[in-house]
Amino acid sequence: AQKVTQAQTEISVVEKEDVTLDCVYETRDTTYYLFWYKQPPSGELVFLIRRNSFDEQNEISGRYSWNFQKSTSSFNFTITASQVVDSAVYFCALSEDTPLVFGKGTRLSVIA
Amino acid sequence: EAGVAQSPRYKIIEKRQSVAFWCNPISGHATLYWYQQILGQGPKLLIQFQNNGVVDDSQLPKDRFSAERLKGVDSTLKIQPAKLEDSAVYLCASSRGQGFYGYTFGSGTRLTVV
């Protein structure tokens, strides 16, 4: 069965600090897809990244970077030089070519 | 490209009343999902449609929840009668397909049952 664990419930950092959000997943399939979504206070889920199980290359997009390690079943998300606008709840999700299964989310608060 | 539209944005009802939510997906997206997000938790799938057919409704409490997507475009989710534990945000999402395709989510309907 699919499962996503985000062990960090809440994280608080001071602006300009780097922060890493952890995501550990469980799946029996060899083909699967991992996602990160951002949920700002407005409530809408905003797509950040998708990664398939055959592509373990790390990805960088501006201040955001993702580290995918199949050996540890982890797909961690790092924000460099955090900003107040990064404050939101971040969700990791998994799909085995099935509907997305979400973790419980990590609430990030960036303090000015 | 227009996003996923949902209405109403907020709804407050008394327990045992009925309520309906509406969703209009992105044009051309054959797959539509309804998720329930209880405060402090991640979204949980209620039902998945492919065009106007149900693909997965295994987690839909069918004694009180119903959903339809009659013409394969917009969809309605209904709760009758509502319970206090139905208080949540109901999110609609659409996609070209599963897996490889990311979902686009609407802003959600925040339901409070009192």
Side-chain angles (χ1 to χ4, degrees):
Chain A
Q2 311 170 67
K3 186 178 179 181
V4 175
T5 302
Q6 295 180 255
Q8 304 150 309
T9 305
E10 293 190 37
I11 300 176
S12 184
V13 299
V14 176
E15 203 171 21
K16 297 183 184 177
E17 286 186 346
D18 300 345
V19 59
T20 296
L21 309 182
D22 298 333
C23 172
V24 174
Y25 62 92
E26 295 178 27
T27 176
R28 294 180 181 175
D29 276 12
T30 56
T31 302
Y32 53 89
Y33 303 89
L34 294 164
F35 299 78
W36 275 95
Y37 281 85
K38 174 182 180 180
Q39 189 173 46
S42 60
E44 187 170 341
L45 281 164
V46 178
F47 169 78
L48 295 178
I49 189 172
R50 171 188 59 241
R51 174 66 73 223
N52 75 58
S53 53
F54 299 107
D55 182 2
E56 284 194 75
Q57 274 194 328
N58 292 331
E59 180 152 342
I60 298 174
S61 176
R63 297 184 296 106
Y64 296 170
S65 62
W66 291 269
N67 181 263
F68 177 29
Q69 292 196 336
K70 289 177 74 171
S71 60
T72 56
S73 297
S74 65
F75 186 43
N76 296 338
F77 173 32
T78 297
I79 302 175
T80 303
S82 60
Q83 300 177 2
V84 172
V85 293
D86 297 326
S87 296
V89 181
Y90 291 85
F91 290 96
C92 181
L94 167 69
S95 171
E96 298 171 346
D97 206 23
T98 52
L100 289 176
V101 171
F102 287 84
K104 291 188 176 181
T106 297
R107 180 177 298 278
L108 174 66
S109 298
V110 182
I111 303 166
Chain B
E1 164 177 90
V4 175
Q6 287 190 250
S7 67
R9 190 75 174 91
Y10 303 94
K11 191 74 176 179
I12 301 175
I13 61 172
E14 296 183 350
K15 59 183 179 183
R16 292 187 290 273
Q17 285 187 325
S18 62
V19 64
F21 313 128
W22 175 81
C23 172
N24 191 28
I26 290 175
S27 178
H29 281 193
T31 310
L32 185 148
Y33 308 84
W34 284 100
Y35 278 81
Q36 180 193 57
Q37 185 178 15
I38 293 173
L39 185 64
Q41 298 184 20
K44 185 188 80 171
L45 179 72
L46 290 175
I47 189 167
Q48 176 192 356
F49 291 94
Q50 181 74 20
N51 296 310
N52 62 348
V54 175
V55 176
D56 183 353
D57 64 357
S58 58
Q59 298 184 79
L60 187 73
K62 299 181 186 62
D63 57 333
R64 297 182 301 104
F65 286 64
S66 65
E68 59 184 14
R69 192 185 184 197
L70 292 176
K71 296 182 179 179
V73 181
D74 57 347
S75 175
T76 303
L77 176 70
K78 296 179 181 177
I79 307 175
Q80 182 180 9
K83 293 185 175 181
L84 295 177
E85 58 260 37
D86 298 332
S87 294
V89 175
Y90 291 85
L91 293 161
C92 179
S94 70
S95 172
R96 291 191 186 92
Q98 293 186 135
F100 177 78
Y101 301 100
Y103 299 2
T104 301
F105 283 84
S107 298
T109 295
R110 183 177 297 276
L111 174 67
T112 302
V113 182
V114 298

